Amino acid sequence: MSAVIVAIGTELTRGELVNGNARWLSERLTEMGFTVDAHVTVPDDAERIRGTLLRLGQESKVIVCTGGLGPTSDDLTTQAVADALGVELVRDAESLARIEARYRTRNRAMPPLNMKQADFPAGAQILPNDVGTAPGFAVTIGGARAFFMPGVPREMQFLFDTHVVPQISALAERKSHQVHIRTYGLYESIVAERIRDLDRGGALHDERITIGYRVTFPEVEVKIFAEAGDADASRELAERVADQARERLRDVAYGGKDDTYPRYVAGLMKRAGIKVALAESCTGGLVTKLLTDLAGSSEYVVGGAVSYANSAKTKLLGVSETLLREHGAVSEPVARAMAEGIREALDVDLAVGITGIAGPTGGSPQKPVGTVCFSLARRKGASLTATEVFPGERETVRMFAAYYALRMFATAITETLDASKSARVATTSG
Amino acid sequence: MSAVIVAIGTELTRGELVNGNARWLSERLTEMGFTVDAHVTVPDDAERIRGTLLRLGQESKVIVCTGGLGPTSDDLTTQAVADALGVELVRDAESLARIEARYRTRNRAMPPLNMKQADFPAGAQILPNDVGTAPGFAVTIGGARAFFMPGVPREMQFLFDTHVVPQISALAERKSHQVHIRTYGLYESIVAERIRDLDRGGALHDERITIGYRVTFPEVEVKIFAEAGDADASRELAERVADQARERLRDVAYGGKDDTYPRYVAGLMKRAGIKVALAESCTGGLVTKLLTDLAGSSEYVVGGAVSYANSAKTKLLGVSETLLREHGAVSEPVARAMAEGIREALDVDLAVGITGIAGPTGGSPQKPVGTVCFSLARRKGASLTATEVFPGERETVRMFAAYYALRMFATAITETLDASKSARVATTSG
């Protein structure tokens, strides 16, 4: 079963906004088993909306449409649908009462403009909106069932999941299966090269498999999509190919669909029951921010210092002025002193120190822009240090460096966990 | 003159990728004076590509198309265009030589698959690609000039600017003008309410004006779009309306198109020649990250402490355990002690301390999730404190709090700058 996605809004055709709704809906519909035949975006232009809907009503069975349901004069979707169907607009008392109630709970009177959001093409099925003022609606245009939702992503997603999915899921026959593998540590082209022969264009020529890639810098997600007759066969095939891919990518694959590398590393910290701290210079708080984005991060993040200026390295972390003078702020000895300084100050198990040149200025022939020095300080054992030169602009260098720091934590924790596992095995067998 | 944008790729219709190319091209075409009538996205399906191009060739004068020019078996655009035109594919020796040369400079042999990228519909104008392997091409379909470019954003942008713009710019007559006003501090609906009468749907009923909004949370951008006959009249009208809008929004408007609030605040810090520091708890480094995202931030950011755990508040910032016990970590006295602690430690002019409950857990009836206490410490004068309760999820609360901290800096600096200006004026006139 196929579907088309329509977006209405001059802000889209003028390029003021990227159409994230089309991506979200496409992913949902694909997961449900639909084939999405097209995305069509048109401006707030009644004639163009009407013409597009009438054409798609001849070609499709399901139309999912977003945008143009707001209260202002340039929101024309509802009127255009009524025109396409040759029916009048009818005001729905219940919807009007709900919109008024929404304003009342915020101690505001409903602006008269919003009354328009209670108007629907005669005969439409109304889709109540619990998270915003604009209700959605559904009508039949030609041979298609067409669903209209506001363009605000949160409201659109609510209406789709609550009202649209139950009505259309019976139409979709799920025959395909997709497995996601999240990786961090290699460029997309190198990830692709390692598993290219598994893809349908590759040496095995298995036309049932499509491998896709999605880069969320600096992470690369691999998607193994299988279409092998029915859902069970597809799942089995996708999982089998995914196992091979994970084996080829075992040094960089860390999780599945909804994972992120910071969350994975946070999971390791929790599992190991350790506390960490950061001493950040060029990353300016980015690593600590990534780790504390996660709910419950106080379990493992104690804190950190952002020692952007040299004086801050000295005052907050006790890095000696002699060390700074002798080696320069961007050096492994200074990274080590930063990591050890914060580890001791906050009495944590592991701490990472980061100092580098994010750019665009500040580089030299010896230490070009992108040079970043790292150190990992541990409660027991010597500190580790490393230096990398990352390519790209300031933002890219900072993100590369932040992920590198996360990996230093991950490697240290994994080794500890593995060691304690071996120790337990040894004890048990001994 | 109008144009349509076509994107080809199953990765788009399956929702694996957001169509950023359509946004970029729309913005460019709009700036050039084109009206973009539609975006159409179709999967890698030869019949569907062919049908879409033939239909649009009847409706449009300019078609800009991205994707499907790669070397693999699912890249079908070139063949589909040849089919639509009823012509053969012809291999272009010069393009082939360029592709081979590209591989040679990287010390690699050209994979046989890539030969395909030197094939074009007979009679096509070839658009050489200096930044990738896939050349673009242009043909006439029906009444439209149609341009085909690879989907890789960098290559597409190069080909568009180098080859497409010179060919189509004469077709566009720039008649409209748009002014952007960036604001921070009010919800979109309240911003809109203040200036609604200036919009074409508003009390003045000026149909030449369209006001649009774009939310980049927590900022709201206002766009005043004017179409008043010719470019000069449009500019004058847009600027006049924008002046009125800025006056109504003077407490929250801070800049234009490419500004961001953190950059604005950083500019104030630079202008005032002051140094700042942060003591962050619930924001976990976010404020410092936002300020150090900017090149040259070492001029005004000295550093900061992320005191996530209470122990970090005590050890890094000297917040007394008694104070923490008596008032709780989320309290104005603790925020003040944090701000004053970091200000003194790093000897800066201004410092902000932030402590709160970002959620989702940790709230109480007295201090619900979203409660954040702030303090601004100054070299001279008493510290200021404030408490806010922000709505929303963890990420939202953190971003609200970070911006609030930026505004505390902005307010303090603006007052200082204004005071010194008045002082100078007084001196001059006295």
Side-chain angles (χ1 to χ4, degrees), chain A residues 269 274-278 291 297 299-304 346 348-352 409 413:
Chain A
M269 290 172 176
I274 62 159
K275 304 269 189 190
V276 306
L278 275 301
L291 284 172
S297 46
E299 267 184 62
Y300 44 88
V301 178
V302 173
L346 296 182
V348 293
D349 303 292
L350 292 177
V352 167
F409 281 122
I413 298 167

Side-chain angles (χ1 to χ4, degrees), chain A residues 11-20 22-23 26-27 30 36-43 48 55 73-74 108 111 113 178 193 200-201 210 212-214 223 225 227 283-286 288-289 292-298 301-309 311-312 315-316 342 345-347 359-360 394 398, chain B residues 12-20 22-23 26-27 30 36-43 48 55 73-74 108 113 178 189-190 193 196 200-201 210-211 214 223 225 227 283-286 288-289 292-298 301-309 311-312 315-316 342 345-347 359-360 394 398:
Chain A
E11 69 277 19
L12 293 165
T13 55
R14 283 202 189 131
E16 294 163 9
L17 212 64
V18 68
N19 190 359
R23 196 206 64 73
S26 291
E27 191 173 62
T30 302
V36 177
D37 279 341
H39 303 167
V40 180
T41 305
V42 293
R48 210 165 274 283
R55 176 172 63 79
S73 58
D74 58 352
R108 287 176 58 190
L113 278 177
Q178 185 157 271
E193 212 154 294
R200 64 172 170 175
T210 313
Y213 302 90
R214 177 149 127 201
K223 288 155 305 171
F225 183 86
E227 252 175 331
T283 45
L286 178 56
T288 321
K289 185 250 171 211
T292 60
D293 277 342
L294 310 163
S297 46
S298 52
V301 178
V302 173
V306 180
S307 54
Y308 215 58
S311 62
K315 290 172 191 162
L316 287 178
I342 196 74
L346 296 182
D347 188 28
R394 180 177 180 84
R398 277 159 58 96
Chain B
L12 293 165
T13 54
R14 281 201 189 133
E16 293 162 10
L17 212 64
V18 68
N19 189 359
R23 197 206 64 73
S26 291
E27 192 172 61
T30 302
V36 176
D37 279 342
H39 302 168
V40 180
T41 305
V42 293
R48 209 165 274 283
R55 176 172 64 80
S73 58
D74 57 353
R108 285 175 59 188
L113 276 178
Q178 184 157 273
S189 61
I190 300 171
E193 213 154 292
R196 188 165 50 198
R200 64 172 171 175
T210 313
I211 302 188
R214 177 149 125 200
K223 289 156 306 171
F225 183 86
E227 251 175 332
T283 46
L286 178 56
T288 321
K289 185 247 169 213
T292 60
D293 277 342
L294 309 162
S297 46
S298 52
V301 177
V302 173
V306 180
S307 54
Y308 215 60
S311 63
K315 289 172 191 162
L316 288 178
I342 196 76
L346 296 184
D347 188 28
R394 179 178 182 83
R398 276 158 59 96

